[in-house]
Amino acid sequence: TQAAHARPNILFIYTDDQAPWALRHSGYDQAHTPHLDQLFREGATLVNSFVSTPVCSPSRAALMTSRYGTELGITDWINPRKEPEIGLDPDTTTWPELLQSAGYETCLVGKWHLGTQDRYHPTKTGFEVFRGFREGGTKVKDATLEIDGVDRKQDGLTVDVLTDYAIEFLEKDHASKPFLLSLHYRSP
């Protein structure tokens, strides 16, 4: 229907440290990425995009808010052991909040890295559901992840566990309203 096209479902995949050669769609043949290539062919590709900084936390803050990390007080990667008070202020408007206020069901699976304290929790910045980790990284295998507010040890490779949670969300019945699934991997 026309209304469904006006409010499309959104799957946003965000990876760390991924160079162009790690994706065949970018024109390189070093990587074999048929599923990601299909997503690029069938979705939107932003061919002239860039980050405002190559550092994780300020780059993530800029992505979430369309503001520079310096405006938000996030100028380096957030190390919760050294600077536990730093995080994305929940009073700052984010694009997931805008979608949520427009009636979207919003979910973040994976890496947050915009503050570990509860006041910086992803559910305070536009995500109804969070399944992942708040710090910059976690174990590659058998990680402890926060699942709906509870820390739980997960068996298996972390990228596979996160992907399974994303698939579980996608397979839910979303007939009543559109969704945003933001899937943030630590590994490219």
Side-chain angles (χ1 to χ4, degrees):
T1 68
Q2 182 66 15
H5 292 296
R7 294 167 36 104
N9 292 323
I10 300 168
L11 169 61
F12 181 82
I13 300 174
Y14 193 44
T15 62
D16 273 14
D17 305 325
Q18 184 158 352
W21 60 262
L23 185 66
R24 185 163 294 209
H25 181 79
S26 297
Y28 299 85
D29 61 2
Q30 287 92 328
H32 180 69
T33 56
H35 301 294
L36 288 174
D37 296 340
Q38 180 180 355
L39 284 172
F40 276 100
R41 282 191 308 274
E42 295 175 4
T45 303
L46 307 175
V47 296
N48 200 20
S49 60
F50 57 93
V51 296
S52 58
T53 176
V55 181
C56 183
S57 298
S59 182
R60 287 174 180 278
L63 172 75
M64 294 296 293
T65 66
S66 294
R67 296 174 62 190
Y68 290 107
T70 53
E71 295 178 80
L72 304 166
I74 301 174
T75 58
D76 201 353
W77 71 278
I78 297 173
N79 183 339
R81 286 161 220 36
K82 292 183 178 179
E83 302 167 314
E85 71 284 351
I86 294 179
L88 180 60
D89 184 344
D91 290 335
T92 305
T93 303
T94 65
W95 62 274
E97 282 180 305
L98 296 174
L99 288 172
Q100 186 180 42
S101 67
Y104 274 71
E105 181 179 2
T106 57
C107 176
L108 169 61
V109 173
K111 179 179 175 177
W112 175 236
H113 207 190
L114 288 173
T116 57
Q117 292 185 4
D118 288 345
R119 65 183 168 154
Y120 302 126
H121 198 272
T123 58
K124 299 193 189 281
T125 60
F127 293 106
E128 296 168 51
V129 175
F130 173 62
R131 294 181 172 185
F133 51 99
R134 297 189 211 183
E135 291 190 19
T138 191
K139 292 169 52 177
V140 174
K141 185 177 180 191
D142 301 334
T144 296
L145 301 177
E146 182 180 327
I147 309 300
D148 304 324
V150 178
D151 288 342
R152 298 183 184 159
K153 184 175 180 291
Q154 306 292 300
D155 294 328
L157 294 173
T158 302
V159 293
D160 292 343
V161 171
L162 296 174
T163 300
D164 288 344
Y165 280 126
I167 291 169
E168 178 184 316
F169 179 83
L170 290 172
E171 289 178 341
K172 283 179 43 180
D173 179 13
H174 297 282
S176 63
K177 60 183 180 176
F179 68 80
L180 159 67
L181 170 58
S182 200
L183 178 57
H184 299 190
Y185 290 111
R186 167 61 184 93
S187 305

